[in-house]
Amino acid sequence: MPNRRSVLTMLGGAAGAVLLPAPAFAATSESLKDIAARKGMRFGCTVGRRSEGGDSAYEQLLVRECGMIVAENATKWPALQPQPGPHRFAAADQMVAWAKERRLLVRGHTLLWQARRWLPDWVNQYDFGASPARVAERLMTEHIKAVCTHFGRNIFSYDVVNEAVDPKTGELIGNVLNQKMGALEQIDLAFVLARQYAPNAQLVYNDYMGPGAGSEKHRAGVLALLAALRARGTPIDALGLQSHIGNTLPAAATAAGSDWRKFLDQVSDMGYDLLITEFDVNDRQLPADVAARDAGVAAIARDYLDLTLSYPRCRDFLLWGMADHVSWLQQWDEARRADGLPQRCTPYDSDLRPKPLRETIAHALKIMPPRLNSGQGQIYRPDGTP
């Protein structure tokens, strides 16, 4: 497994220097979900478009490694209700049925994504009339009720609200709904409705604040939001740490470690659980050489996971893609490498061969302390029971 010092040696040499090779991958037959389950953690991955004609090799890999899935897009509001009227559950139902056949748990992502561009166009253009707050509440109620009652116990956990904090200012993001009723009031209502219509589900606020420099206002804004929700008695169970990491190299990540630990301490002290919800490693700052790049990705992940998984209240771990060819980072403009090479951002390459990142994740799971059941002092089982 690459360590911090060896990776910094590789990345810090003069231009044209010979880079040290990454260590050989230590293959293991034990799945990541089984390693995690021994410590009381659930492990899973996002699922996007499924291939036709039965299980693909990638799907078989997902089932072997994962105990739960989350839809990349199929359960978002624009996908479920692109036009006013009944929700269109066909694609999401297919995913849930596929998961149930394979005894995989399913998370819901996301009931509300706060930015205007992630709401359905018809909601942004809606005529809220003379009682805008009441109409906004009705639209939210109809949507959350429809989704939660349709899926029932088939979805055990929801990202109720996604990315409500402006990372540049730390303030709450405005949209056509909360401009009618107040930003904090709208978020509170979303969780109240989710608890009403999904009473047994884990309810999560999900955001992408991270440990790096430049994320200070984002972290502060999330802390302020969580504190305000706790003061209101909002029924929120956990903070989702999206964990799209990699914008800082290992040395910078280490320097930011104390800030990240302080942030996680403050969230935990409020009584919230933690989830890693969308893990991947952006490699755009790393060298083109595959061995050096894979070693760098693994080292960055090790810094982050060793710290974050040291918290027993961090109870779920989801990847945002198991193999490189399905990763959203391949299409996201801001993640493109200057050399035009595809990202190597996930535990498996595009040919489904394991990389050092897979070994790093397995090791982090093995050395982390056992998970606790929501502060009750009990070991937390992957099926959600103490």
Side-chain angles (χ1 to χ4, degrees), residues 151-364:
F151 290 113
R153 288 180 176 266
N154 287 328
I155 289 183
F156 79 96
S157 173
Y158 280 99
D159 291 329
V160 178
V161 175
N162 195 52
E163 300 176 9
V165 175
D166 186 329
K168 296 180 180 178
T169 66
E171 301 297 323
L172 295 180
I173 293 172
N175 61 41
V176 70
L177 297 169
N178 63 33
Q179 288 166 356
K180 307 297 187 290
M181 63 174 66
L184 187 63
E185 290 78 6
Q186 184 239 347
I187 295 170
D188 175 73
L189 176 62
F191 281 96
V192 169
L193 291 169
R195 179 64 80 220
Q196 179 179 351
Y197 295 111
N200 300 298
Q202 177 191 52
L203 305 183
V204 181
Y205 172 70
N206 193 51
D207 213 328
Y208 61 90
M209 65 285 128
S215 190
E216 296 88 351
K217 289 183 179 180
H218 200 173
R219 292 193 299 269
V222 170
L223 287 173
L225 171 61
L226 293 176
L229 293 173
R230 180 61 78 214
R232 292 176 69 97
T234 304
I236 172 173
D237 300 315
L239 171 65
L241 312 168
Q242 288 187 14
S243 305
H244 297 296
I245 64 173
N247 289 324
T248 54
L249 298 181
T254 302
S258 60
D259 290 336
W260 188 237
R261 185 176 295 280
K262 180 179 179 182
F263 173 78
L264 298 180
D265 284 344
Q266 290 175 286
V267 174
S268 299
D269 288 346
M270 291 184 207
Y272 294 111
D273 286 334
L274 303 167
L275 288 70
I276 294 176
T277 55
E278 305 182 21
F279 182 86
D280 53 29
V281 185
N282 187 329
D283 73 10
R284 64 181 175 178
Q285 296 189 52
L286 298 177
D289 178 82
V290 168
R293 194 156 28 130
D294 286 352
V297 164
I300 292 169
R302 182 178 182 180
D303 274 342
Y304 181 82
L305 293 177
D306 284 354
L307 194 163
T308 306
L309 294 180
S310 70
Y311 286 78
R313 297 196 72 157
C314 184
R315 297 160 54 191
D316 288 18
F317 188 161
L318 291 107
L319 305 171
W320 211 246
M322 183 68 69
D324 294 338
H325 68 289
V326 302
S327 173
W328 71 295
L329 291 174
Q330 310 295 5
Q331 288 78 44
W332 188 41
D333 287 342
E334 293 181 31
R336 295 189 188 279
R337 292 176 55 89
D339 55 20
L341 293 172
Q343 289 258 351
R344 294 181 61 84
C345 46
T346 68
Y348 287 82
D349 69 15
S350 296
D351 294 317
L352 307 187
R353 293 173 299 202
K355 297 183 299 180
L357 177 57
R358 200 268 182 197
E359 180 189 4
T360 293
I361 293 171
H363 183 262

